[in-house]
Structures are given as C-alpha cells and as structure tokens.
Amino acid sequence: MLRDEADAPPPDATTFKDSALRPNVKVITGEVKMSIHYKQHALHIMIMHVKELSSETGDRPNPYVKLYLLPDPIKTSKRKTKTARATFHPTYNEMLEYRLPLQEVRLRTLQVTVWSAEMTGNEFLGALHLNLCDHNITSKEWIQWHKLSALHRIRS
C-alpha cells in the first residue's frame, strides 16, 4: 500500500469530507430493477435486484426496499422487502401487492426507498418516484432499471 492510500477513504465512502464546502452531502448511487403490472384488480410490484449501492462508511450495507403509494398521509400503503445482509448488489425477487381499483392506482405516485438496517439505526441509501399514470401497466408487465437519487417531497 502506498503512503497516500493509507489515509484515503474506502472507494465506496460517499460523504464529502470538506464539510465547510458541502456539509452532510451524501452521494447517492445505485439502481433498482422492478417489474410493475396491474392485473386481477391489484398492482403487483416485483422488486428484483438492486445494484451499485454505496454507504456513508464504505462498509457493505444491509439493504432493504420500502414502498409507499403517495399520497398516503397515514402510511397505510407501506410495503417492504426482507433485509439482505452485507451486500452492495442484493437480489430480492419479492412480489409486493396493493389491492386497489385501477382508477385509484393511476392517481398515485410510487415512492421506492432503499435503506440499510444498521445497529445504530437505518441509513438512507436512495429513492425514486414513479407517477403510475405515466406508464402502461395494464396491458403488459413493465420491467426496468431505475436510478436512485435523493428523497424529494411530493405535493399532495
């Protein structure tokens, strides 16, 4: 190891060290592969894979995926996957379901967040929002990778 490498942060560390310039800024990386389909009076969301996650410490996270259908003021639409252990690239292949009329589904935004379950609390790893009215989810299954970003507040 070179002398300069001994002091360097791990390659997956994602917090900028110069707090005077960018305090508490976390770089979000990663993508989620999902399948979304509305059939038999239910919205079916298959969380397949997540790849290229990063964590603030550089340690391998214990990721899980959490979903909400927004707006959801009392958080009744919360669904989540099992927690994968110590990986930047988890595979879930878990089906999460919402039994709602199609008219209701089309009024909603799917919020997907990825978290790491840690002993000191949950670490936010990334998020994405999908307006379900913008996609044809009734005639065929929609399978795609989606980039994670920071969590943004959605207006009701």
Side-chain angles (χ1 to χ4, degrees):
M1 179 181 299
L2 298 174
R3 182 178 40 145
D4 293 341
E5 291 175 332
D7 296 330
D12 293 307
T14 58
T15 302
F16 289 95
K17 297 298 180 191
D18 189 349
S19 60
L21 294 177
R22 299 180 69 110
N24 299 321
V25 175
K26 181 179 189 296
V27 175
I28 306 290
T29 64
E31 296 180 57
V32 178
K33 186 177 185 181
M34 296 185 299
S35 159
I36 302 174
H37 194 197
Y38 187 89
K39 63 181 178 182
Q40 299 173 347
H41 309 290
L43 178 63
H44 302 272
I45 302 167
M46 168 78 80
I47 304 297
M48 299 169 153
H49 310 284
V50 179
K51 67 179 181 180
E52 300 170 5
L53 291 172
S54 60
S55 73
E56 287 186 12
T57 63
D59 296 333
R60 288 184 286 175
N62 300 310
Y64 65 93
V65 179
K66 190 165 32 171
L67 306 179
Y68 286 101
L69 284 179
L70 302 178
D72 185 10
I74 56 173
K75 299 185 178 181
T76 57
S77 69
K78 179 179 172 179
R79 306 284 189 277
K80 63 185 203 178
T81 64
K82 293 184 172 117
T83 301
R85 296 288 170 208
T87 180
F88 291 107
H89 314 285
T91 294
Y92 297 100
N93 290 326
E94 290 187 40
M95 183 67 73
L96 305 171
E97 182 180 278
Y98 293 97
R99 292 225 163 258
L100 292 170
L102 181 59
Q103 300 88 322
E104 180 71 21
V105 169
R106 290 190 175 165
L107 297 174
R108 302 291 189 102
T109 297
L110 178 65
Q111 178 187 65
V112 180
T113 54
V114 182
W115 298 84
S116 181
E118 303 299 330
M119 297 293 268
T120 57
N122 295 329
E123 177 189 352
F124 175 75
L125 300 178
L128 64 99
H129 293 97
L130 297 171
N131 290 323
L132 295 173
C133 66
D134 294 343
H135 305 283
N136 182 4
I137 56 174
T138 56
S139 64
K140 64 178 185 170
E141 187 176 23
W142 177 39
I143 302 172
Q144 185 173 329
W145 284 98
H146 302 273
K147 287 192 178 299
L148 294 171
S149 64
L151 186 59
H152 301 286
R153 190 172 296 271
I154 300 291
R155 292 188 188 129
S156 308

